[in-house]
Every structure is written in C-alpha cells, then in structure tokens.
Amino acid sequence: MDKSLEKSLTQWLRGQKSACGHFLKLSILLGILNGFAIVAQAYCLATILDGVIMQQLAVSELSHYFISLIGLFGLRAILAFGRERVSFEAGRRLREHIRQAVLHKLIALGPVFIKGKPAGAWASIVFEQVEDLHDFYAKYLPQMILAGFIPITILACVFPLNWAAGLILLATAPLIPLFMILVGMGAADANRKNFTALARLSGHFMDRLQGMATLKLFNRAEAELGKIEQASEDFRTRTMAVLRMAFLSSAVLEFFAAVSIAVLAVYFGFSYLGHLNFGHYGAGISLFTGMFVLIMAPEFYQPLRDLGAHYHAKAQAIGAAESLVDLLETPETYLANSSSSPDKDMLSTPQDQIDLATVAITATDLKVFSQDGACLLGPVSFEVNTGEHVAVVGPSGAGKTSLINALLGFLPYQGSLKINGVELKQIPLAKWRSHLAWLGQDPQLFHGTLRDNVALANPELTDEQILSLLSRAQLADFVAQHHQGLDAPISDQAAGVSVGQAQRIALARAFAQDASVFVLDEPTASLDKHSEMQIMQSINQAISAKTCITVTHRLDELSDMHKILVLSKGKLTQAGSYQELVADEAGLFARLVAGKEAV
C-alpha cells in the first residue's frame, strides 16, 4: 500500500475515536492503574522473598505484605476485567457510529449507486469490514499509550536500584517495536487484498445464488461451482497470508522478550556469584533488587508484546478503512439535492413552501448523467400538465429508466427540470418524495408480514384500510384464503408469494401513499391478461385526477394516455397523443406499434 495512503487512512481512523466517548480514555486509565498495581505487586513479592530468605524474618512479621499481595492480585483482576468491558464498549460504539454513517451514506447516494456493486459486496463492507475496526479502538489505541507509560514507569523504578539492569531493559526494548514495524509494513496491504477477495467472493456467491434457476436451466451450475471454488481458494490463500504475518509477529516478539529476560537473569546470576561487580551504587546487589527487577522484567516487555500482538489490528483496520473511506467520501453532487433532510436555512426558503398537492412537470434542455459523468439522456424538453397521464416508450437503452431516476432524485441532471415552476434541485428531496408513489416491474418486498409491507409508508393504517387497499389491488382473495390473514409472512426476496402477488402488494403499498404523482415502471409486467386488465382498471380509478408517468412496452394500451413521449438513443424523437403518433407512419412510434422495431 502507498505510504501516503496508509498515513491518510491512519489519520482517518484516529479521527473517528471521538465516537468511542469516554470509554477509550477510561480503558487507558484502568491500564495505567494496572501498571501501578504491577509495580506494587513486584515490590511486595520481592520484599517477602528477601525478608524470608536473606533476613530470616518470621512470616508473621511480613503478614501485611502478604495481605497487600493478595489484595493486589484481586485488584489487578478487577482492573483487567473492567478494562476489557470498557474497551469492548468503546469498540461497540465506534462500530455503531461507522455503520450508521455507512448506511446514511448509502441512503444519500441512492439505489442507482448501490446497484453498481453486488449485494454481497455491500454486506461485506457493512458487516465484515466495520467489524474489523473494533480491535483498533478497543485494543490497539489504548495499548499504544500503555506501551509507552508502563515501561517508563518500570524504568523509573529500576534505575535507582541498578543502572545496569535499567540499561539492559532500555537497550532491548526497541527491538520489539522495530520488528513490529517491519512485520506490519506488509500487513495492511495483505489485509486490504483480503477484504477485496472477501467482497468479490460475497458478491459472486450472492449473484449465483439468486440466479440458480437460470444456471440450472442452462446447465451451467457445475461450471459456476468451479468459479466459486476458485474465488473461495483465493480468499483462503489471502486469509492464510494475513494469519502467517500475525503468528510470525507474535513468535518473534516472544523470542526477543525471552532473550532480554535471559540476559537480565544471567547478569544477576553472575553478579551473585561474584563474577560481575557493576551496576549497583556501591551497596552491592541485594536479593530484593534482583527479585524486583526479574519480576518486573516480563511486565516491562508485556505492554510492548501486547502492542505487537495488536499491531495486526491496526493493519486489519487500515485494510478495512480503505473501502469505507472511499464510500464515505463519495461526492453526492449527482443527487437532486445534497440531503434527504432539508436544513434550517432551506426550511425558510420559499421553495420549501411549494404546494405539491397537484403537480406539473416541465423539462427544458434536460440532460441526465450517470454517476461517473456520462450523458445517459438528453437534451430533451417536454411538459406534463397537472393531472395528465403520460407514457414513456422507446427501444431498450433509449433512456427511459434514466429519466425516471432523474425525477426520483437518484441521478444528476443539467438543464431545467421544474416542479410547479420550481427547480427540482431546490426542493427538499424528502418533501418531493413524500408526494411520489412508485411502482416498479420488480417490486421490493421486505421481510415481515403482509401488513408491514402494505403500511410501509403509512404505519398508522388500520387493518380495515389495509384490507381496502388490498381489495383495490385485486388481492383480497389471497388474504381471505390465507389462514394468517394480514399476518401472512413475507420472507426475504419476496419468498412465499408469487411474482404477480408481489406486484399487487406493491400496488396496494403505492395506493396507501397520499401521492400527487404516480411513477409506474411496467406495472403489469408479471401479470396475465385478465389480471392485467383488473389491475389497470384499479390504477386508472386511483389516479384519475393524479399526474402519472408510466414506462411501458405494451403499446396497445396507450390509447387513453393524454400524451406519449417516444425516446430513442437518449433523445426525444416524438411527443403527442396515441392517435397523432400512429398517424405518422414514418415515425418511430408507428414502427414500434407495427412491430417493425423492437420495443
């Protein structure tokens, strides 16, 4: 990974620690108190051994040291438990904060942006990558402070007793962070590649799972199993590379710590044997000094070893942060408005007071763009008057969906797109969308009950009102025949209902919204001829006085439309009534109706 990128990601990670609240500081405080308890514990233990062995004191004379030692054991256990609890809470709050930021960003960016990646890739970002930030805040950041404070505290206690032992500790201490840095140089890049492989595997598996019927019908199931196996093997290889780095780091840190402690032990052993006579301040080396330093030596290296053990958490967090930062810093300039919730200044503007009880739409030299700036539609100019029913038709790829997405506020545009004379960009999206009813050809139902899905936009609906809406959507028989009625379960991906039933449930949900504009995208695409006629009759009754824009491929049902917009290759080629367009035999619409060109 590029050093400048790694540095910027580290700075971003540190900038998020305010979300941990006071728990991060409390974790550090408990670690510092544990460090003081370590010193006191070593002092009591060394005093007891020196008193019993060298000074031949009775155990009763050292009873207060025994009591203190037992108390310190209990205190350290309580401090360690408390630190684990508050550290976990700090990480939990951080993960909750980041997940909320990611979800809010995805809501702001809209469905067009989300469809640019497989659902599995988004699941990997929201769950796996956010989860891997936990240890950076719960363990690594607090340990960085403790790795500096506790060794310095121990050195401050050792140097007054024996300067040679202090120098040994001071000289060997940098070996641990040095190797930690050397190992960590490639760890962040390995983690980043690991997350990329995981996102690819998740998206690959989700796509194949959703298309299993298609794969079986085309006899490609076995071939796709091989591709999933290949993606899984790639992910396994990268995961093992990350684990190898983590285990290698831990093993080498343990080795250096053991060697350093051994050097201290050799120094004191030869000093007691009389072969070494330096390091003390003229009074010789007592058993207390040797025991105190040797007891403190493992504790001196332990914070550094813990930091090394948690260093992979930093590398893991940096690898996870790259895609999170890319997402969170994605500009929202392509939205019709920068926020789905208007700010206070916007609330005071005349545009917020616009009356959307009835809606007229005027487009002048309108151009619609993709997220990367490619022109998808335009320039086009048209008008939709209040209460008009307008059909948008044309060959596939003509720009029909792009026009709808611009109206819904999901794609950027240039030129003018006015709602009741006010530019769409100046109208708060929440206000505009509250007056829209949307029905797509592939309706999205959510896990829950039939009642929940119909009352999605208006949770205050009574059961009687919901039944009335379902009856208008020609779904009353389904409710009556189902033994759970409105509590009929709807599983993920609309499992439990047919495609036609899902379309009708979505239609009832659209009816439930007090909308001024109905936007319909192939509303009867999944229905048989008889059901189609019933649904269209219900729609026409519900929206008789409403403005309606319908995208459709069924040209034989457009005779009642007030106006038809014919798109081709991103341009508006014709506009007029059904009779006017059919009469123009040289026009695109007449050729589409005659079947001379594919819709």
Side-chain angles (χ1 to χ4, degrees):
M1 179 181 291
D2 182 72
K3 288 298 178 183
S4 60
L5 175 59
E6 183 176 352
K7 184 177 180 181
S8 65
L9 291 176
T10 303
Q11 290 176 345
W12 180 84
L13 287 168
R14 292 179 182 276
Q16 308 304 310
K17 64 183 181 181
S18 58
C20 300
H22 62 275
F23 291 97
L24 190 60
K25 296 179 180 178
L26 185 56
S27 174
I28 296 172
L29 176 60
L30 292 176
I32 291 173
L33 293 177
N34 187 54
F36 288 132
I38 289 171
V39 175
Q41 179 180 294
Y43 176 81
C44 290
L45 188 56
T47 301
I48 291 172
L49 293 174
D50 182 69
V52 172
I53 298 172
M54 301 303 296
Q55 301 180 32
Q56 301 295 314
L57 297 176
V59 174
S60 59
E61 297 181 63
L62 300 170
S63 59
H64 56 288
Y65 286 107
F66 280 105
I67 295 173
S68 299
L69 187 61
I70 295 172
L72 287 168
F73 279 133
L75 177 62
R76 287 192 62 191
I78 293 172
L79 290 173
F81 174 78
R83 187 184 168 206
E84 286 294 324
R85 294 288 296 178
V86 299
S87 295
F88 178 83
E89 182 63 21
R92 187 194 67 80
R93 288 176 175 243
L94 184 281
R95 285 181 285 124
E96 184 178 85
H97 169 74
I98 296 296
R99 282 203 176 98
Q100 287 179 351
V102 168
L103 293 175
H104 289 159
K105 187 69 175 183
L106 291 176
I107 291 172
L109 292 174
V112 177
F113 177 85
I114 293 172
K115 287 181 179 179
K117 284 186 179 182
W122 292 121
S124 174
I125 290 176
V126 173
F127 294 104
E128 297 290 340
Q129 298 193 25
V130 173
E131 195 71 23
D132 283 321
L133 299 179
H134 176 87
D135 284 350
F136 180 81
Y137 298 92
K139 296 181 179 179
Y140 179 76
L141 282 183
Q143 195 61 40
M144 280 193 66
I145 305 297
L146 299 178
F149 178 83
I150 293 179
I152 290 175
T153 302
I154 293 175
L155 284 176
C157 297
V158 170
F159 264 107
L161 296 175
N162 189 286
W163 59 265
L167 286 177
I168 292 173
L169 293 175
L170 188 61
T172 55
L175 293 176
I176 293 178
L178 177 63
F179 187 81
M180 177 183 68
I181 293 172
L182 292 175
V183 172
M185 288 176 64
D189 190 53
N191 276 282
R192 179 180 60 83
K193 293 178 180 178
N194 188 50
F195 285 124
T196 301
L198 176 60
R200 184 166 57 249
L201 174 62
S202 300
H204 193 91
F205 179 73
M206 182 68 72
D207 286 346
R208 271 57 183 177
L209 192 63
Q210 291 177 337
M212 185 59 69
T214 303
L215 293 175
K216 281 185 171 294
L217 290 174
F218 284 89
N219 295 318
R220 294 295 300 171
E222 293 296 329
E224 290 302 322
L225 282 176
K227 293 182 179 180
I228 292 177
E229 182 180 0
Q230 183 179 355
S232 301
E233 178 63 21
D234 180 43
F235 177 63
R236 184 196 68 81
T237 301
R238 297 187 186 279
T239 301
M240 295 308 296
V242 174
L243 290 175
R244 278 197 300 270
M245 287 188 179
F247 288 133
L248 176 63
S249 175
S250 299
V252 173
L253 296 180
E254 292 290 339
F255 171 77
F256 280 120
V259 169
S260 301
I261 295 172
V263 171
L264 275 176
V266 169
Y267 163 74
F268 281 111
F270 278 96
S271 295
Y272 289 136
L273 293 174
H275 298 298
L276 296 177
N277 189 27
F278 64 89
H280 54 82
Y281 297 97
I285 301 176
S286 65
L287 180 63
F288 170 83
T289 300
M291 294 304 301
F292 179 77
V293 173
L294 288 175
I295 292 170
M296 293 296 294
E299 304 296 345
F300 176 83
Y301 295 108
Q302 189 60 47
L304 298 173
R305 291 155 61 189
D306 289 342
L307 181 62
H310 298 324
Y311 192 77
H312 75 279
K314 177 189 175 183
Q316 197 172 36
I318 290 176
E322 184 175 11
S323 55
L324 288 171
V325 171
D326 286 343
L327 171 63
L328 295 174
E329 293 184 353
T330 300
E332 301 171 21
T333 55
Y334 57 82
L335 294 177
N337 209 328
S338 61
S339 173
S340 59
S341 301
D343 56 27
K344 293 181 179 179
D345 293 335
M346 186 175 290
L347 288 173
S348 63
T349 61
Q351 288 83 357
D352 187 66
Q353 306 303 322
I354 181 175
D355 183 11
L356 295 177
T358 59
V359 169
I361 303 171
T362 304
T364 306
D365 296 328
L366 174 67
K367 289 185 178 181
V368 181
F369 296 87
S370 67
Q371 300 141 1
D372 56 5
C375 184
L376 302 175
L377 173 71
V380 297
S381 299
F382 60 87
E383 290 186 7
V384 180
N385 298 318
T386 300
E388 275 191 338
H389 294 182
V390 176
V392 181
V393 301
S396 297
K400 304 184 294 294
T401 302
S402 300
L403 175 60
I404 295 300
N405 280 324
L407 282 171
L408 297 175
F410 295 139
L411 283 177
Y413 70 86
Q414 292 180 1
S416 176
L417 182 57
K418 293 185 177 181
I419 309 299
N420 292 350
V422 178
E423 196 63 44
L424 178 58
K425 294 178 181 179
Q426 299 176 357
I427 303 174
L429 277 178
K431 181 179 180 68
W432 168 237
R433 288 172 180 163
S434 67
H435 289 80
L436 289 175
W438 159 256
L439 179 60
Q441 58 182 310
D442 186 19
Q444 176 65 55
L445 300 185
F446 298 94
H447 180 84
T449 64
L450 179 61
R451 179 190 291 104
D452 296 334
N453 277 275
V454 175
L456 181 66
N458 188 1
E460 303 300 323
L461 289 175
T462 64
D463 286 356
E464 290 74 16
Q465 291 172 318
I466 293 175
L467 288 171
S468 175
L469 292 170
L470 290 169
S471 178
R472 290 168 60 187
Q474 308 296 326
L475 205 61
D477 291 343
F478 172 78
V479 180
Q481 294 172 5
H482 200 286
H483 67 281
Q484 291 180 279
L486 293 178
D487 292 318
I490 306 294
S491 301
D492 295 330
Q493 303 297 322
V497 295
S498 67
V499 177
Q501 289 170 337
Q503 193 84 356
R504 298 184 191 196
I505 295 171
L507 178 60
R509 183 169 62 195
F511 288 158
Q513 191 163 349
D514 185 19
S516 304
V517 182
F518 278 73
V519 181
L520 311 177
D521 184 5
E522 299 286 352
T524 60
S526 304
L527 304 178
D528 56 54
K529 194 67 177 179
H530 177 70
S531 299
E532 178 185 345
M533 293 178 60
Q534 292 180 323
I535 292 297
M536 289 308 300
Q537 182 179 2
S538 299
I539 292 176
N540 291 332
Q541 291 176 354
I543 65 175
S544 58
K546 307 286 187 179
T547 302
C548 177
I549 299 176
T550 303
V551 174
T552 182
H553 288 88
R554 301 193 176 182
L555 306 182
D556 56 336
E557 302 172 352
L558 304 181
S559 57
D560 294 332
M561 290 288 177
H562 296 102
K563 188 182 299 181
I564 299 173
L565 304 178
V566 184
L567 300 179
S568 178
K569 298 179 180 179
K571 304 293 183 182
L572 179 63
T573 60
Q574 288 180 286
S577 66
Y578 181 86
Q579 292 74 19
E580 292 173 343
L581 297 179
V582 170
D584 184 5
E585 297 181 359
L588 175 60
F589 185 77
R591 298 199 303 273
L592 291 172
V593 172
K596 295 180 180 179
E597 291 198 26
V599 181

